[in-house]
Amino acid sequence: MGSARTRAWVAGRGLILDVPTVTFPGAVHPVQRGAIVDTAGAARMLDRLLGHRLPRFTRPLVVVTAPVLDGVAYRTEARTAVQVLRPRSVLTVPSARAVALGAGADLSRPLLVVDIGAHLTEVVLLVDGAVTDARRTALGTGDLDSATPAEISEAVATMVTAMLRQDRTSLTVDALQRGALLAGGGALRPEITYRLTGRLHAPLKAVAAPHTAAVRGAATLLRAAHAHPSTGGPEACTPDHG
């Protein structure tokens, strides 16, 4: 559930939803800048979008992607909202890790993920698949009417520079030299990617279909969870939200 769009993946059916994150009546946005500000509205939205798509008399396993920073609050509200789907279990995953999984990235090496969304941009260092450092700015492609591509690129470069200065190891340098993984709608904006490449003085690796990378990564986790005995098997038709 992103600030601009909500995407859902159902096991065995693939991506079934890619719609604006709004509630009705009034077209209110329940998620803003990476925070769920209207939990009840988010629940109504999920019920409207997914309630009729799930088999009756089953309790799905749900995987939810969440921002890395302020993720605790997001996960708490998301778990509450998702209860409308009567899940038997709710798993959460940091969006950056989901992006890496969706891209099929090698998680055995340090990886820098730059996720430029509509209203939130995160820069995250993953080491062995775990979050080691993370920065965010409340700025994204949805702000291009008031912010320039150069300003968004500069914000990303500033966050990367801060990570490099704080890191007393070579992990961030190694990840940057390897090439930052670029995802989110910003990866589809050449006016951003061109400037960002110049500012970072490092290669960028845009994820295929970058706007759906997180939900595809969540689907990867969903398949793994279904295969694990503790989840009760793959009998439920299950949505993932990114």
Side-chain angles (χ1 to χ4, degrees), residues 157 160-161 164 173 176-180 193-204:
V160 172
T161 299
L164 288 167
V173 172
L176 188 60
Q177 290 177 344
R178 178 185 171 193
T193 58
Y194 174 77
R195 288 174 172 81
L196 190 54
T197 301
R199 285 292 290 110
L200 294 180
H201 304 292
L204 290 177

Side-chain angles (χ1 to χ4, degrees), residues 160-184:
V160 172
T161 299
M163 293 173 74
L164 288 167
R165 288 176 176 170
Q166 181 174 306
D167 191 355
R168 297 184 181 278
T169 70
S170 63
L171 293 173
T172 305
V173 172
D174 292 347
L176 188 60
Q177 290 177 344
R178 178 185 171 193
L181 195 65
L182 186 61

Side-chain angles (χ1 to χ4, degrees), residues 90-224:
V90 180
L91 308 178
T92 59
V93 57
S95 294
R97 177 173 169 82
V99 164
L101 291 171
D106 180 4
L107 292 178
S108 68
R109 301 172 59 191
L111 180 66
L112 194 65
V113 178
V114 178
D115 189 359
I116 305 176
H119 301 119
L120 180 69
T121 295
E122 289 193 317
V123 177
V124 181
L125 177 65
L126 297 175
V127 178
D128 293 327
V131 175
T132 300
D133 195 359
R135 311 293 164 113
R136 68 181 287 174
T137 182
L139 195 64
T141 57
D143 300 301
L144 286 175
D145 56 342
S146 58
T148 66
E151 289 173 323
I152 294 177
S153 300
E154 183 63 30
V156 172
T158 298
M159 289 188 286
V160 172
T161 299
M163 293 173 74
L164 288 167
R165 288 176 176 170
Q166 181 174 306
D167 191 355
R168 297 184 181 278
T169 70
S170 63
L171 293 173
T172 305
V173 172
D174 292 347
L176 188 60
Q177 290 177 344
R178 178 185 171 193
L181 195 65
L182 186 61
L188 299 173
R189 300 274 190 157
E191 68 274 27
I192 293 177
T193 58
Y194 174 77
R195 288 174 172 81
L196 190 54
T197 301
R199 285 292 290 110
L200 294 180
H201 304 292
L204 290 177
K205 300 177 181 179
V207 179
H211 53 300
T212 63
V215 75
R216 297 199 315 271
T220 299
L221 288 174
L222 177 65
R223 287 189 288 269

Side-chain angles (χ1 to χ4, degrees), residues 23-131:
T23 63
F24 296 99
V28 177
H29 297 272
V31 183
Q32 297 178 18
R33 305 288 177 185
I36 298 177
V37 297
D38 181 359
T39 306
R44 290 194 303 272
M45 179 188 71
L46 292 177
D47 188 38
R48 171 174 57 85
L49 295 173
L50 293 168
H52 64 289
R53 297 174 183 263
L54 302 178
R56 298 180 64 184
F57 312 117
T58 61
R59 301 189 65 187
L61 168 65
V62 179
V63 179
V64 181
T65 66
V68 174
L69 296 177
D70 292 339
V72 173
Y74 184 98
R75 290 194 297 270
T76 299
E77 300 304 324
R79 285 175 178 274
T80 299
V82 165
Q83 292 307 310
V84 73
L85 302 178
R86 299 176 58 253
R88 73 175 186 271
S89 183
V90 180
L91 308 178
T92 59
V93 57
S95 294
R97 177 173 169 82
V99 164
L101 291 171
D106 180 4
L107 292 178
S108 68
R109 301 172 59 191
L111 180 66
L112 194 65
V113 178
V114 178
D115 189 359
I116 305 176
H119 301 119
L120 180 69
T121 295
E122 289 193 317
V123 177
V124 181
L125 177 65
L126 297 175
V127 178
D128 293 327
V131 175

